Amino acid sequence: LHPVVSKLPNGLTLIVQPEQVSGTVSVFGHIRNRSETETPPGKDGVALLAGPMLGFGTEHPDRIASVKAVEAIGANEGAGTDFSLETLSQNLDRGMELLADHELHPALLEAALDAIKPQIAQSVAARNKSPGYIVHRSMVSALYPPSDPSLRESTGESVAALTLDDVRAYYKKVFRPDLTTIVVIGDITPEKARAEVEKYFGAWTAEGPKPDTDLPPEPDNHGASVAVPDA
């Protein structure tokens, strides 16, 4: 492999690997993130809401119109901290337009929050009572000191208390080009791939300093044991 690696002026990293095995192009993006360090105090669980809410369309076309636009070009597309597009080469420009609109301009509607928040709150509450989760919490509690971000815990109550402003603030903090890498693979030249990415992601900007996405170093832990009931 001989990928072409470059960086856009807004800090976005682009990796292009031309392949001629088919007339398709695949785009895979990742935003470096860590909910443990990027979630504000008292807002535990906001990352669990932000991801699903991106599935409810963009600021301009509604959810159904967005889906129909992707289906019209026979593509697969998805947004989030991991986002992707798979399309025929001749439909790449339209696909990139739809992907960027979904990734950079999600609707983040109150109706979407009202639809998913009760489900996620109930799921988190049930998870926290499960033996498997209790075992996991016991393990990390033995490994890490009390102040470690890894010990942050979302609960049904913390999720239920979140607001639309909390989700929008989290999106604004986490989704930024200087923490993003886009990989383009397929029937395309590096020059064309960069032109497409710059066209639709080049105006994306970040506000404020980069959030901390690294966990702190850990001291040596001591031995411990725990008995977890499984009813």
Side-chain angles (χ1 to χ4, degrees), residues 144-173:
Y144 305 133
S147 61
D148 193 276
S150 297
L151 295 180
R152 297 188 65 172
E153 182 179 40
S154 56
T155 65
E157 292 77 12
S158 70
V159 172
L162 294 168
T163 67
L164 185 60
D165 286 341
D166 295 330
V167 176
R168 288 176 171 172
Y170 184 80
Y171 168 84
K172 188 175 182 180
K173 180 178 183 178

